[in-house]
Amino acid sequence: MAERALVPPSESVPRLTRPPSPAADVGASAALSEKQSPLLPSQQGGVQPDHQNEGNPATSQGVMMLQLLERVIELENWKEGKGLIVCGAKNTFCSGSDLNAVKGLGTSQDGVELCMFMQNTLTRFMRLPLISVALIQGRAMGGGAELTTACNFRLMTPSSEIRFVHKEMGIIPSWGGTARLTEIIGSRQTLKVLSGALKLDPTVALKIGIADEILQSSDEDQSLQEAQRWLQQFISGPPEVIRALKTVVSSGKELALEEALETERDVLSTLWGGPANLQAIAKQIKFNK
Ligand SMILES: CC[C@@H](C(=O)O)C(=O)SCCNC(=O)CCNC(=O)[C@H](O)C(C)(C)COP(=O)(O)OP(=O)(O)OC[C@H]1O[C@@H](n2cnc3c(N)ncnc32)[C@H](O)[C@@H]1OP(=O)(O)O
């Protein structure tokens, strides 16, 4: 029987509580995992499995997923950050669960445990006070397609493709991907995308609103530079302001109106009369350019 390496640290997705004050340090953009894709098997250039677990794909996949959670925890503790880019390796964004590992996780309970672990990790990722971009180079399939929806924006290279293949696997996207996709493109389009297991090339993805932009280059390094430039326009400015913006947008999306309004008040109180606000007022900035 497969080792249960995927039991979530908490039994359910964390509830969004009103957030602590954003930090006021200097920020930067960063790749979540430069040149690494968290869920890919090693032959696709993903995180290498723990040697102790070599030969046991289910355990290796568990290790990769734990590594993803660790990176999310690191990002939760990155108090000066403003943005991040998630990208894959060797021109594949992420081809989802390791199919060899999935063979060893055959019970309904296995599926639910995997689902809870990934719902927890990706929900925490989505709620980071960082503006996140999925740089889709090559394919994003299955769990990889779900991962793109945990990012705020999706940039696609000309030769890339997003495909929710779950129907063909006899399952549904359950790492939060169905809920997030519905929020991004609406229920009608989501139903088409999922029930058709549609191949979303960049043109289609842009048309239905999954993709935010098609990049010029399919080259790994050049498209990363393009993505960095694209993100820069949204993260220029003081970290405390960018982080606060992401925080209130997240609460506006997830909380009931009264709670969201309370969050806005709390977050504003950390900014009003603060250095960025006072400097802007002193400069008498005009926005008519
Ligand atoms: C159950 C979880 C579910 C979820 O909830 O989300 C999933 O994620 S299920 C997984 C969904 N993903 C897939 O079904 C992908 C299947 N793979 C493919 O369709 C193709 O491999 C590819 C990703 C389109 C790439 O095609 P291509 O460029 O032609 O390369 P290869 O097919 O030769 O692949 C190279 C190499 O990598 C192996 N590979 C790729 N993806 C996976 C995977 N998800 N799991 C395990 N192995 C994978 C592939 O088998 C090749 O290996 P070798 O044959 O040993 O070279």
Side-chain angles (χ1 to χ4, degrees):
M1 190 164 130
E3 190 175 317
R4 296 207 182 276
L6 301 170
V7 179
S10 78
E11 285 300 304
S12 61
V13 174
R15 290 181 67 82
L16 182 65
T17 50
R18 289 187 309 100
S21 312
D25 296 316
V26 178
S29 67
L32 170 65
S33 174
E34 199 181 341
K35 306 288 180 197
Q36 289 185 334
S37 179
L39 306 177
L40 286 172
S42 54
Q43 66 266 36
Q44 286 274 319
V47 175
Q48 293 296 319
D50 184 326
H51 290 295
Q52 278 181 340
N53 301 317
E54 218 159 66
N56 182 344
T59 313
S60 299
Q61 159 147 315
V63 170
M64 287 186 267
M65 289 177 170
L66 285 170
Q67 286 172 335
L68 176 62
L69 177 61
E70 275 171 23
R71 301 308 300 266
V72 171
I73 292 167
E74 273 174 39
L75 289 167
E76 286 172 341
N77 290 310
W78 186 31
K79 299 299 180 198
E80 67 275 16
K82 298 195 278 185
L84 76 133
I85 295 172
V86 181
C87 57
K90 298 189 182 169
N91 257 326
T92 300
F93 177 78
C94 176
S95 66
S97 282
D98 183 333
L99 291 169
N100 301 309
V102 167
K103 278 184 203 150
L105 297 169
T107 68
S108 164
Q109 190 187 345
D110 289 332
V112 171
E113 284 181 3
L114 180 62
C115 152
M116 286 170 71
F117 184 91
M118 289 305 292
Q119 284 185 352
N120 183 306
T121 302
L122 293 181
T123 302
R124 289 170 68 167
F125 174 82
M126 186 184 75
R127 290 177 182 163
L128 290 168
L130 302 166
I131 298 183
S132 56
V133 168
L135 167 56
I136 302 153
Q137 303 158 313
R139 288 184 168 106
M141 303 193 73
E146 292 201 63
L147 177 59
T148 71
T149 64
C151 294
N152 298 122
F153 303 108
R154 283 148 294 280
L155 303 181
M156 295 180 73
T157 65
S159 60
S160 65
E161 180 184 294
I162 302 175
R163 190 168 180 203
F164 292 82
V165 295
H166 304 76
K167 181 187 88 164
E168 309 293 359
M169 308 282 300
I171 54 171
I172 54 159
S174 63
W175 299 354
T178 305
R180 290 189 300 266
L181 189 61
T182 304
E183 199 265 325
I184 295 166
I185 61 171
S187 58
R188 277 178 62 234
Q189 294 288 15
T190 298
L191 198 53
K192 280 188 199 162
V193 166
L194 301 187
S195 59
L198 302 182
K199 289 183 182 179
L200 305 174
D201 66 29
T203 312
V204 175
L206 191 64
K207 191 170 160 214
I208 64 175
I210 293 189
D212 290 276
E213 195 137 322
I214 306 174
L215 300 175
Q216 298 283 315
S217 176
S218 286
D219 175 81
E220 221 171 67
D221 296 329
Q222 281 179 21
S223 57
L224 179 57
Q225 284 169 21
E226 279 186 65
Q228 284 167 332
R229 281 197 296 274
W230 190 89
L231 176 58
Q232 192 55 46
Q233 64 186 312
F234 300 109
I235 60 167
S236 70
E240 69 273 22
V241 178
I242 307 301
R243 292 168 69 89
L245 283 170
K246 170 70 190 277
T247 300
V248 290
V249 169
S250 293
S251 66
K253 191 168 76 169
E254 289 196 57
L255 298 177
L257 182 62
E258 283 305 321
E259 282 181 289
L261 295 179
E262 207 177 331
T263 304
E264 284 180 19
R265 290 197 292 275
D266 288 352
V267 173
L268 175 77
S269 75
T270 69
L271 296 174
W272 191 283
N277 179 226
L278 294 179
Q279 272 173 30
I281 290 170
K283 275 196 221 155
Q284 295 189 315
I285 306 174
K286 295 228 183 310
F287 298 100
N288 53 3
K289 284 181 198 156

